[in-house]
Amino acid sequence: MIIDRAEVIVTSPDRNFVTLKLTTGDGLTGLGDATLNGRELAVVAYLRDHVVPLLLGRDAGRIEDTWQLLYRGAYWRRGPVTMAAIAAVDVALWDIKAKAAGMPLYQLLGGASRTGLLAYGHASGSDLPELFDSVRRHRELGYRAIRIQTGVPGLKVVYGIASNGTAEADALPVEEDWDTRAYLRHLPAVFEAVRNEFGPELPLLHDAHHRLTPIQAARLGQSLEPYDLFWLEDCTPAENQEALRLVRRHTVTPLAIGEVFNTVFDYQQIIREQLIDYVRGAVTHTGGITHLRKVLDFAAQYQIKSGMHGPADISPVGMAAALHLGLAIHNFGIQEYMMHGARTDQVFQQSFTWSGGLLHPGERPGIGVELDVDEAGKYPYVRAYLPYNRLADGTVHDW
Ligand code: KDG
Ligand code: MG
């Protein structure tokens, strides 16, 4: 199982995706997702220029050793570009190992701990009727848990949702507006209306997208308590782990954080102090199966569960890796699942199933995804950015 080919494939069927494809001398192939939304080509260069030369001639079976070589051997540790590149290698190697074993990856990770993975989708609307329609559409699509994002009176766009997450070809980032006080006033009324319309059973989630100070987040968590949220996500900027102490002191609304984290060190304090309830890391951005599993095993000691990031900018390869890991671990919580577009599903042939609100990675050996290189070649890279945000006085705010 010697690696004799490593290709970095960039394709933009509905948005940009970066995929690493490894091939062994005996003809086994493995895929890994290296997509870093808005900074895709930085990971492409990291892989092509620095990582691929280290992989050729290596034993594909030595997954842990390769991980340590790429992490420690670089000297420069952590960071989203490095960790996305390492993740892509790691997942491609797990894919190869599971194919060599003739098993779906979750079997190699210990076998299934459940029949399927509860997934949540994104409902959003600029006002309540639009939001209710979106919730209904998601329920028709089979979702049994739903994230609620809404317009705030006085602001131009619904923040933090996929439709404003991609840009036109070669456009520059879209500028959005933000007003924290208006948001804090409006949101409890939205959740009250959603609960009145859809009842107490439906698990509801919300993403504050790093926009609040600790005391604002504490207030929001408190004001949402009557509506029994499944979680409040990214309530404060994720870099400051200590901020969550203050939030936690004031509210019993469950907290989720970590989509911009990339190693266990980002989680160290908040897991040990039990300041969160869900780990939001994605396999793609947290150093692959090998590293995210270690984070989740650490979290399990504190009854903290997984809530893996699964927006449309995680490719089907990254999603498949998450599903195998989520099926195998004991402390699975929920999986974010935004469906990909039709062109993406043609480029990436997948084996997962979606039934009764549950995802399952399928039984194909490996991670269960193959990439159609000819189809991928039809969609060249398109420069795209996430939006950003300014307050009324022009100050740049967190997006
Ligand atoms: O690339 C960034 C997006 O994936 C992010 O804004 C989506 O916050 C997000 C979420 O929870 O899915
Ligand atoms: Mg989020």
Side-chain angles (χ1 to χ4, degrees):
M1 290 220 308
I2 299 300
I3 302 168
D4 72 358
R5 242 174 118 189
E7 299 152 85
V8 183
I9 298 154
V10 184
T11 181
S12 193
D14 298 295
R15 60 173 312 119
N16 293 316
F17 295 114
V18 179
T19 309
L20 176 70
K21 180 176 179 183
L22 300 181
T23 308
T24 65
D26 31 8
L28 289 174
T29 58
L31 298 178
D33 178 25
T35 308
L36 187 62
N37 196 5
R39 295 293 185 271
E40 295 88 356
L41 299 187
V43 191
V44 171
Y46 192 104
L47 281 169
R48 274 193 188 141
D49 297 342
H50 306 292
V51 173
V52 165
L54 303 176
L55 298 178
L56 300 176
R58 279 186 71 77
D59 178 355
R62 296 182 64 182
I63 299 177
E64 178 73 26
D65 184 66
T66 303
W67 197 97
Q68 299 297 342
L69 173 75
L70 295 178
Y71 183 77
R72 292 172 203 282
Y75 185 69
W76 309 107
R77 298 181 184 187
R78 309 164 70 185
V81 175
T82 298
M83 297 309 289
I86 294 177
V89 175
D90 186 74
V91 171
L93 294 180
W94 278 110
D95 193 14
I96 288 172
K97 194 180 271 289
K99 282 179 180 168
M103 294 178 182
L105 175 58
Y106 75 82
Q107 291 289 5
L108 277 194
L109 299 176
S113 288
R114 56 196 51 77
T115 53
L117 308 179
L118 177 69
Y120 75 90
H122 291 195
S124 60
S126 55
D127 56 18
L128 285 178
E130 216 177 280
L131 176 63
F132 288 2
D133 282 351
S134 178
V135 174
R136 282 189 202 103
R137 259 198 319 279
H138 279 80
R139 297 212 330 166
E140 282 159 23
L141 287 168
Y143 284 101
R144 285 176 16 200
I146 299 184
R147 188 185 88 157
I148 299 292
Q149 303 297 124
T150 171
V152 174
L155 297 184
K156 287 189 284 236
V157 294
V158 184
Y159 78 91
I161 60 167
S163 54
N164 7 308
T166 46
E168 305 278 305
D170 284 335
L172 291 170
V174 173
E175 183 178 301
E176 297 180 354
D177 53 356
W178 184 245
D179 178 343
T180 304
R181 293 190 67 230
Y183 164 76
L184 291 175
R185 277 196 308 273
H186 184 61
L187 204 64
V190 170
F191 273 89
E192 183 174 10
V194 171
R195 276 285 174 232
N196 288 341
E197 183 70 16
F198 297 100
E201 293 291 332
L202 183 65
L204 298 176
L205 303 88
H206 179 70
D207 191 346
H209 236 268
H210 322 278
R211 292 177 183 210
L212 308 176
T213 65
I215 203 70
Q216 289 166 342
R219 173 179 155 195
L220 181 65
Q222 246 182 29
S223 64
L224 295 178
E225 280 171 17
Y227 314 112
D228 185 27
L229 264 61
F230 187 96
W231 78 35
L232 170 60
E233 176 185 344
D234 285 343
C235 59
T236 52
E239 302 91 305
N240 182 9
Q241 298 187 30
E242 282 174 26
L244 294 171
R245 280 192 192 142
L246 191 143
V247 182
R248 205 54 152 178
R249 229 176 277 145
H250 292 282
T251 180
V252 293
T253 293
L255 302 177
I257 207 160
E259 69 181 46
V260 302
F261 288 174
N262 39 71
T263 72
V264 69
F265 300 104
D266 300 313
Y267 288 101
Q268 207 169 30
Q269 182 178 2
I270 52 178
I271 289 180
R272 212 181 319 104
E273 294 186 29
Q274 303 188 71
L275 300 180
I276 56 167
D277 301 281
Y278 296 92
V279 163
R280 288 284 289 138
V283 172
T284 306
H285 300 134
T286 321
I289 299 272
T290 297
H291 193 68
L292 185 55
R293 174 141 208 183
K294 290 175 185 175
V295 176
L296 293 171
D297 285 346
F298 175 36
Q301 298 171 43
Y302 299 89
Q303 294 176 282
I304 297 170
K305 295 187 173 187
S306 72
M308 285 179 239
H309 196 210
D313 50 281
I314 300 288
S315 87
V317 173
M319 278 301 292
L323 301 191
H324 285 278
L325 183 57
L327 198 66
I329 56 173
H330 177 252
N331 58 328
F332 171 79
I334 199 166
Q335 173 64 52
E336 183 178 20
Y337 172 45
M338 285 172 76
M339 295 169 178
H340 287 113
R343 287 196 297 259
T344 299
D345 289 341
Q346 265 185 310
V347 170
F348 297 93
Q349 288 138 18
Q350 302 162 59
S351 63
F352 79 93
T353 59
W354 167 242
S355 167
L358 302 182
L359 288 161
H360 189 285
E363 300 299 339
R364 233 192 251 165
I367 60 167
V369 183
E370 294 302 330
L371 187 146
D372 183 330
V373 178
D374 295 333
E375 201 61 25
K378 292 185 190 164
Y379 307 108
Y381 169 78
V382 178
R383 191 181 71 205
Y385 292 94
L386 282 155
Y388 71 102
N389 225 322
R390 285 188 193 276
L391 305 179
D393 69 356
T395 306
V396 173
H397 193 64
D398 300 281
W399 188 75

